[in-house]
Amino acid sequence: MNRETLINALLILGLLAAPFAADAMGEPFYVTLATRIAILALAATGLNIALGLGGLVSFGHAAFFGIGGYAAGILATHAFNAEPLLFGLPGTNQMGPIWLAAVAAAGMAALLIGLISLRTSGVYFIMITLAFAQMIYYFAISWPAYGGEDGLSIYVRNAFPGTNTMRPMSFFLIAAGLLLAGLAFFALLRNSRFGAALQAGRQNEIRLAAVGIAPFRIRLVAFVLSAMMTGVAGALFADLNRFVSPSMLSWHMSGELIVLIILGGVGRLAGPLAGAIVYVLFEFALGGVTEHWQLFLGLVLLCVVLFARGGVVGLLAGRARHG
């Protein structure tokens, strides 16, 4: 076991153990805090497929995060009001079908956006993904049927078989389970032939094309897979807050996900988790002291960029290895 694998394991075990300790002490707030960390880490893990493996600096992943949130909110609202959706389809308050809807909607949006945006690169790719995300953001604001600018409430948290999702510990276990599945998927993808081709395209797409692999198709698949994972995280985030609003679609959310990855370590397995832990703890510890708490986070981010290019995980583990 190399040092990075050990650090990854410690981060995961720490996230899993902390809520049990908080629950035993009768502190459900800290369980909810850990749930928020797990959900943000899952969303950032999705982005890490595109950014960490493919070198695709997407400033539009908030679109997929928000689409997942709206999938949860819309389906739950129609189920609560017993109103059919389009074409007479029923709503649902079951998490399984909601996650599938979030995956399908985010994946379809990513396919359409990727077909256009992946024909560009560099700053043009950043700006075109931002433009698409902002179009979806303003569409949500101007959609009065589902709350418009005021957002949409989920009156009762969606259900999962055999579990009372209103209990903070139960909901944390669901979020943590999806995060572990997301991390396992990322590890398998990174160590697969597809992952090797994706990383090769990031380094030199001409050489990748020379061996008969089309960089565009590889990147498009990675972009869609990335969006699907982020969409599931968005559905969970909406359920956690029992509310979804256009803020989930804003460029600030895209920037937050990128910050999580940079803080934790770009392309690192547990990088998004480490970044989410740092971000949420800063928000909790300093948010009650000053509304300008992000200034201090910015200073930490600056130090990471200047002195610890591998993020928190890279600082602790050293040179990147697959493990």
Side-chain angles (χ1 to χ4, degrees):
M1 179 182 290
N2 61 50
R3 188 164 40 164
E4 184 168 346
T5 303
L6 178 60
I7 290 168
N8 291 344
L10 289 175
L11 285 169
I12 293 169
L13 289 174
L15 177 68
L16 295 176
F20 283 98
D23 193 52
M25 293 185 293
E27 296 285 354
F29 171 76
Y30 294 106
V31 179
T32 302
L33 207 64
T35 306
R36 178 177 167 83
I37 289 172
I39 293 171
L40 289 177
L42 177 63
T45 299
L47 177 56
N48 206 23
I49 294 174
L51 174 59
L53 300 183
L56 302 172
V57 185
S58 168
F59 226 92
H61 260 58
F64 313 128
F65 190 71
I67 285 171
Y70 271 95
I74 290 170
L75 287 171
T77 298
H78 280 268
F80 184 81
N81 296 329
E83 295 174 350
L85 289 159
L86 293 173
F87 311 113
L89 295 172
T92 180
N93 67 341
Q94 296 297 313
M95 287 187 179
I98 284 172
W99 295 342
L100 290 176
V103 164
M108 183 61 67
L111 179 62
L112 296 175
I113 292 172
L115 284 170
I116 299 172
S117 61
L118 287 170
R119 299 182 188 282
T120 64
S121 61
V123 69
Y124 302 103
F125 176 79
I126 294 171
M127 296 309 296
I128 199 168
T129 53
L130 172 61
F132 275 114
Q134 287 300 100
M135 282 192 285
I136 296 172
Y137 167 76
Y138 284 111
F139 174 78
I141 284 180
S142 61
W143 199 9
Y146 297 111
E149 193 170 0
D150 296 326
L152 181 65
S153 294
I154 301 174
Y155 298 103
V156 179
R157 185 170 285 164
N158 292 312
F160 190 82
T163 303
N164 178 8
T165 57
M166 291 300 295
R167 290 186 64 247
M169 195 65 202
S170 298
F171 192 74
F172 166 76
L173 291 174
I174 293 170
L178 284 177
L179 173 61
L180 291 176
L183 291 174
F185 179 76
F186 179 87
L188 288 172
L189 193 68
R190 184 181 64 180
N191 295 322
S192 67
R193 294 172 65 184
F194 175 86
L198 183 60
Q199 293 175 82
R202 180 191 67 202
Q203 296 169 8
N204 192 321
E205 65 178 42
I206 296 175
R207 288 184 179 179
L208 185 64
V211 298
I213 300 175
F216 178 82
R217 278 185 284 179
I218 291 285
R219 287 171 176 163
L220 181 61
V221 172
F223 192 71
V224 172
L225 291 175
S226 172
M228 287 177 170
M229 191 180 297
T230 303
V232 171
L236 275 176
F237 194 76
D239 254 331
L240 174 66
N241 299 314
R242 282 186 282 170
F243 181 73
V244 58
S245 74
S247 64
M248 289 180 65
L249 294 156
S250 81
W251 66 271
H252 299 89
M253 191 71 232
S254 294
E256 186 175 313
L257 295 179
I258 292 174
V259 166
L260 297 185
I261 295 175
I262 294 173
L263 279 175
V266 178
R268 306 274 184 159
L269 175 62
L273 175 55
I277 291 171
V278 172
Y279 185 91
V280 173
L281 290 182
F282 259 82
E283 183 181 37
F284 169 67
L286 299 177
V289 177
T290 172
E291 63 180 10
H292 305 297
W293 64 271
Q294 290 180 328
L295 169 66
F296 301 99
L297 181 68
L299 292 174
V300 172
L301 183 62
L302 181 62
C303 291
V304 167
V305 171
L306 292 176
F307 306 112
R309 298 291 293 275
V312 172
V313 174
L315 185 64
L316 297 174
R319 189 175 178 179
R321 296 179 184 178
H322 290 178

